[in-house]
Structures are given as C-alpha cells and as structure tokens.
C-alpha cells in the first residue's frame, strides 16, 4: 500500500506491558503511538504481550520475533526504548530510520535501585546496562529525551561516542534533528470523576479529610520514608491528614519487589500511622481510572533523595497532578521540581527534611491557598498536552531519515588524534645517574634482567635506610 507524502509507516516497540494497569514506559509508548496515528501516520504498536487496550487507529502486536522482522522490513521508522534493541538486534540493522527514546536514563536508576547489593553483582549489571545504552547511541538516527537538562546529558554521551561529528553538525548545527526534547504529556481533555476511589471507600478516609496522594508506585530511588516522618509531625496539627500511596505492587511481574515498599510499611507501622494517617493501596490503579483518585485528592506528592538519578529524572506522576489541578509537594532537584517552584505550582522542599515536609503539608492544608495554586496549575497544564510534547517525533516521522553519519560508512568512535609534535627537552645526566646506568649495564651483561632487578632492589633498600636515618634524598 502506498501512502501520500508526509505519511509514514511507524513501528512502535514497547519495552513494557501495555494493558489497563501499566507503568510509565508503557503509558509513554501508547500515548506517542496515539499521537502519531492522530497525525495521520500508519502506526503499529507492539509490546511483550499484545496490548490489552482499546486503541482505535493502531495496529496491535506482540513481541513475536518473526512478526517483528516482517514489520521492521515494511515500516519507515521504528521507535524503541529500553532493552528492545538488545532483545531484537535486527531492528538496528534494517532499512527503517531508528528512533531511540532516552527519556529514562536507566543506568542511573540502577545505581540507586541496587544500592546495598553485592558490589560484584552491581558492577556486572551496570556494565551490561552501559553496553545496552552504547548500542542505542551508536545506531540511532533520532533520539528523544524528556527535558533540556537530559538533553545536555545525552549530548555529552553522543559526543563521547563520535555521533556528534562534522556530518551530523553540518546537517543541523543545533543538533535538534539528531536529539530533541519530547517530554511526557497530558491528555487534552480534562479529567472526569466517574467513581469513588478513596473517600468513603478506603476505611478511615472520609469526605472532609485532607487527602495527600502519592500517585504511582514506590521505587528505591524515591524517599517515601522522609514523607512518612513528615506526616507524623504534621498530624499533630492536622488530625484529618491522610496520606495515600497509590500502588505498592508493580503491574509487570517481571519487575522485582522494591525494598523501599517494606521499609515504608514498617516505618508507618512503627509510628502508628497505618490506617490512621497513612494508607497503602495494594493494586495498581488502571490507567483509565486514575482520574478518580486524582480528583479526590487535595495535594499530589513525591519525594526523593539527593543523587544523580534525581538530577536527570522526569517525575511523570507530577504531570498527573498538574492534569488534575492539584498543588504539588515535591523534593527539589529535578526538572519538574524547578517548574513547580518557578510557576508557583506548589511547594518544593530540600531532600531528607521531615520538618520541611511537615511545614509544607500544614501550609497546603489551607483551602484558599490550594485554590490559588490550582488555578496556576491548570493554566500550566494546558501547555503540556501530548499533541504539543510529541511534536518533534511527529515531524520526524513525516519524513523519516537516517542520521547524517549513517548515510555513508561512518566511524562509531572518534579516531585517535594525531600525535602532537613536541620539541625535545635537553637532558643532562648527573654523575650519580651515569654511575647507576653503568652499573645496571654491567649487571645486565653478567646476570641478565634478574640481576638488574636484584641490584635495583638492593639500591632501593639502601636508599630507604638512609632516608629513615635522616640521610639525603635523591
């Protein structure tokens, strides 16, 4: 079938499950596929299992290797993320332009997630992840990231691997045609409350309570412990304060249990907050039902520790808070926290500071203050729709192309620089040095290299003895 100019066949291969209950990677692949289809492209969306969702305009498939080989050969562009290219390396070798989504710098997440594991295990896993990442950076034609801060990080990585070179620079000195920002987006339609989720449903949470929602899962790179300690402090002044953790167990069974889940439960129990001020929802909330939870909350919250992952993170749960018009309480340090702070969209606090968390919870308990913040939040959310954020990807897929340095045989790493010509420095041997060299020559002639080594060892011992006794150094 022939398509008119500007319309492409795009294969989106998700690394994660796409189903009613799904996490960030699956959500992102689904929404990007939807935007590409809305722009008129013919889009096939494949996941580890055939997506179990209503997706008008999309062709759905699984991770069957034979099927993917056929699809890759007949599509103009392939969009991938995570381990997809390692699992299906033929996607890197086909004729289609390869789009690599780098929104999640997973090697940095692993540094935090695996902290406390045996060092050898961590090093082996990190080496493997870097290998996977390097393959993507070397073979991609167009790269996506989630923020300008991430873009700076990935520009450095691409430079180190030789992908920023005369060819790619001449094609576009801004390098936006090689690497551009495609953040997570928001639905264009406002959220709608369809069914009760927390108030009057979860025992202990009533209609007039002050509900603070932790949307999404608990991962080791977050810091819910500081939040729970802050709730314990604030509850003394806010008896109707209720903190709800959206989900404890990840919907993808291949994702292992996070130790922070047990740590958070244990701390809430030790502080006698469980069932009174802290509540855990056991099941992952379906993507299409998350609005019910968001619209029953008064504040959206996320807290993390100070580490390199937080510097480059893009906390997608914060976007849901903005979509629902919720004031945000978050830890400073990431790109969205900067947005919250600059736009007056909530309160940011320093990492690991329960007192600051408690003070923020008390401040946001004021309904009038929340109403003023909510108006600014809704205004800002209108600028973050998926149609806007996905624009660079949509434009690329209108005319998919190989990167400038993939149009001809290219180096995958910079060639070594030619040796610099350095003028020789005049050298004059001292009498002591001439004697040492002469002695070494005699020992080499008489006893070979072993004799030279033994003589050198004797000399070092004598010199050490003289230094210890206050003798003159070399």
């Amino acid at each position: 079938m022939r398509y008119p100019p500007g319309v492409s066949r795009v294969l989106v291969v998700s690394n994660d499950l796409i189903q009613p209950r799904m996490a960030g990677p699956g959500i992102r692949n689904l929404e990007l596929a939807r935007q590409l289809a809305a722009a008129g492209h013919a889009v096939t969306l494949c996941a580890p299992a055939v997506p179990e969702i209503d997706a008008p305009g999309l062709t759905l498939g699984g991770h069957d290797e034979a099927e993917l080989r056929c699809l890759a050969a007949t599509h103009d562009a392939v969009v991938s993320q995570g381990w997809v290219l390692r699992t299906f390396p033929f996607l890197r070798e086909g004729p289609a332009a390869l789009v690599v989504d780098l929104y999640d710098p997973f090697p940095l997440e692993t540094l935090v997630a695996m902290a406390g594991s045996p060092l050898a295990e961590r090093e082996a896993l990190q080496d493997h992840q870097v290998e996977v990442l390097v393959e993507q950076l070397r073979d991609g034609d167009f790269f996506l990231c989630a923020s300008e801060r991430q873009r700076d990080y990935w520009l450095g990585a691409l430079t180190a691997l030789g992908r920023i070179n005369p060819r790619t620079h001449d094609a576009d000195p801004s390098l936006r045609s090689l690497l551009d920002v495609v953040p997570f987006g928001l639905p264009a339609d406002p959220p709608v409350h369809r069914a009760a989720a927390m108030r009057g449903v979860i025992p202990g949470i009533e209609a007039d309570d002050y509900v603070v929602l932790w949307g999404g899962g608990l991962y080791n790179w977050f810091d819910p412990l500081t939040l729970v300690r802050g709730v314990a402090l604030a509850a003394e002044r806010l008896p109707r304060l209720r903190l709800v953790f959206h989900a404890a167990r990840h919907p993808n069974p291949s994702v292992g249990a996070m130790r922070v889940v047990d740590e958070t439960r244990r701390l809430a129990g030790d502080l006698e907050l469980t069932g009174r001020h802290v509540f855990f929802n056991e099941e992952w909330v379906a993507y299409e039902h998350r609005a019910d939870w968001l619209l029953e909350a008064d504040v959206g919250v996320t807290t993390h520790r100070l580490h390199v992952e937080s510097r480059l993170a893009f906390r997608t749960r914060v976007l849901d808070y903005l979509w629902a018009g919720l004031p945000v309480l978050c830890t400073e340090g990431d790109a969205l926290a900067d947005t919250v702070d600059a736009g007056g969209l909530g309160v940011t606090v320093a990492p690991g500071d329960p007192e600051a968390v408690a003070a923020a919870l008390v401040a946001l308990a004021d309904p009038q203050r929340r109403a003023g913040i909510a108006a600014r939040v809704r205004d800002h959310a209108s600028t973050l729709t998926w149609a806007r954020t996905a624009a660079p990807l949509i434009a690329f897929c209108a005319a998919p192309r190989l990167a400038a340095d993939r149009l001809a045989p290219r180096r995958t790493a910079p060639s070594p620089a030619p040796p610099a010509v350095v003028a020789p420095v005049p050298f004059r041997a001292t009498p002591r040095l001439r004697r040492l060299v002469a002695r070494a020559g005699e020992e080499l002639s008489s006893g070979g290299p072993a004799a030279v080594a033994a003589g050198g060892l004797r000399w070092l011992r004598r010199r050490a003895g003289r230094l210890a006794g206050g003798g003159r150094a070399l």
Side-chain angles (χ1 to χ4, degrees):
M1 177 178 180
R2 293 192 173 187
Y3 292 89
V7 175
S8 299
R9 296 157 298 181
V10 184
L11 173 62
V12 180
V13 186
S14 176
N15 189 61
D16 202 1
L17 294 172
I18 296 177
Q19 56 189 13
R21 291 177 171 84
M22 55 185 164
I27 293 169
R28 181 171 172 87
N29 283 298
L30 171 62
E31 294 295 354
L32 290 178
R34 283 173 169 170
Q35 294 306 315
L36 289 167
H41 299 300
V43 182
T44 301
L45 174 61
C46 294
V50 178
E52 303 172 5
I53 49 155
D54 182 25
L58 301 179
T59 300
L60 304 178
H63 275 192
D64 178 77
E65 182 171 337
E67 180 183 2
L68 284 176
R69 283 185 181 275
C70 293
L71 291 170
T74 57
H75 282 64
D76 304 303
V78 174
V79 181
S80 71
Q81 190 265 331
W83 269 257
V84 167
L85 299 181
R86 170 56 68 96
T87 306
F88 305 110
F90 55 84
L91 295 174
R92 295 188 278 121
E93 302 158 1
L98 182 57
V99 180
V100 177
D101 189 357
L102 300 170
Y103 95 97
D104 179 12
F106 53 85
L108 300 182
E109 285 185 351
T110 302
L111 289 174
V112 185
M114 297 296 291
S117 299
L119 181 59
E121 179 181 334
R122 294 169 60 201
E123 289 178 333
L125 179 58
Q126 196 71 18
D127 288 346
H128 172 68
Q129 294 199 333
V130 171
E131 286 178 8
V132 171
L133 182 60
V134 166
E135 290 171 356
Q136 298 177 17
L137 295 175
R138 282 181 168 163
D139 293 319
D141 295 298
F142 183 50
F143 299 93
L144 314 179
C145 61
S147 68
E148 290 294 336
R149 186 181 294 180
Q150 280 193 3
R151 187 169 187 266
D152 290 340
Y153 174 76
W154 293 122
L155 283 172
L158 289 167
T159 299
L161 288 172
R163 293 304 311 279
I164 295 178
N165 53 55
R167 292 178 186 271
T168 52
H169 181 268
D170 289 351
D172 175 14
S174 75
L175 297 172
R176 292 282 173 183
S177 63
L178 181 67
L179 168 65
D180 211 345
V181 177
V182 176
F184 248 76
L186 297 175
D189 296 328
V192 176
H193 189 267
R194 293 186 171 88
M198 295 183 289
R199 300 177 186 270
V201 176
I202 298 177
I205 302 180
E206 303 302 332
D208 57 349
D209 284 338
Y210 171 37
V211 178
V212 177
L213 178 65
W214 176 289
L218 288 168
Y219 303 109
N220 291 345
W221 47 89
F222 290 125
D223 182 19
L225 303 180
T226 292
L227 174 60
V228 169
R229 293 187 180 99
V231 167
L233 296 174
E236 298 175 4
R237 296 179 57 184
L238 302 170
R240 305 204 72 85
L241 172 60
R242 306 290 184 262
L243 168 64
V244 179
F245 287 102
H246 209 190
R249 187 168 60 245
H250 198 281
N252 189 340
S254 66
V255 176
M258 295 283 168
R259 67 176 183 279
V260 75
V261 175
D262 292 336
E263 292 172 354
T264 306
R265 290 183 187 276
R266 186 162 51 250
L267 178 62
D270 291 345
L271 296 175
E272 299 182 349
L273 299 174
T274 305
R276 296 174 58 242
H277 296 289
V278 177
F279 300 81
F280 296 89
N281 182 51
E282 299 303 330
E283 294 296 328
W284 198 273
V285 174
Y287 182 54
E288 300 299 333
H289 297 162
R290 70 195 189 286
D292 296 334
W293 295 70
L294 293 163
L295 293 175
E296 290 186 17
D298 297 302
V299 172
V301 63
T302 181
T303 49
H304 56 254
R305 295 186 295 278
L306 181 62
H307 44 63
V308 66
E309 185 275 340
S310 61
R311 171 72 182 168
L312 294 172
F314 195 83
R315 308 294 184 204
T316 56
R317 68 196 60 208
V318 173
L319 291 181
D320 271 348
Y321 302 155
L322 301 182
W323 180 51
L326 291 178
V328 179
L329 167 56
C330 63
T331 309
E332 63 191 20
D334 61 48
L336 281 176
D338 291 348
T339 300
V340 169
D341 201 32
L345 309 181
V347 180
T348 61
V349 297
D353 190 341
E355 289 79 10
V357 170
L361 289 170
V362 171
L364 292 172
D366 179 1
Q368 289 187 335
R369 180 170 183 175
R370 290 203 305 273
I373 293 173
R376 294 191 293 272
V377 167
R378 283 189 287 269
D379 286 343
H380 185 72
S382 66
T383 70
L384 301 174
T385 61
W386 278 109
R388 291 193 181 194
T389 61
L393 175 62
I394 294 170
F396 177 85
C397 290
R401 62 195 176 277
L402 299 183
D405 58 347
R406 292 238 294 163
L407 292 171
R410 76 184 196 282
R411 297 185 299 261
T412 56
S415 295
V421 177
V422 181
V425 178
F427 173 75
R428 292 193 311 165
T430 64
R432 180 186 299 273
L433 182 56
R434 283 197 294 269
R435 289 196 300 271
L436 288 173
V437 172
R439 186 181 304 165
E442 295 171 359
E443 291 174 342
L444 180 62
S445 299
S446 62
V452 176
L457 183 58
R458 288 194 300 272
W459 181 85
L460 288 172
R461 286 172 177 168
R462 288 197 302 271
R463 181 59 56 186
R466 290 178 185 175
L467 291 174
R472 185 164 59 89
L474 286 173

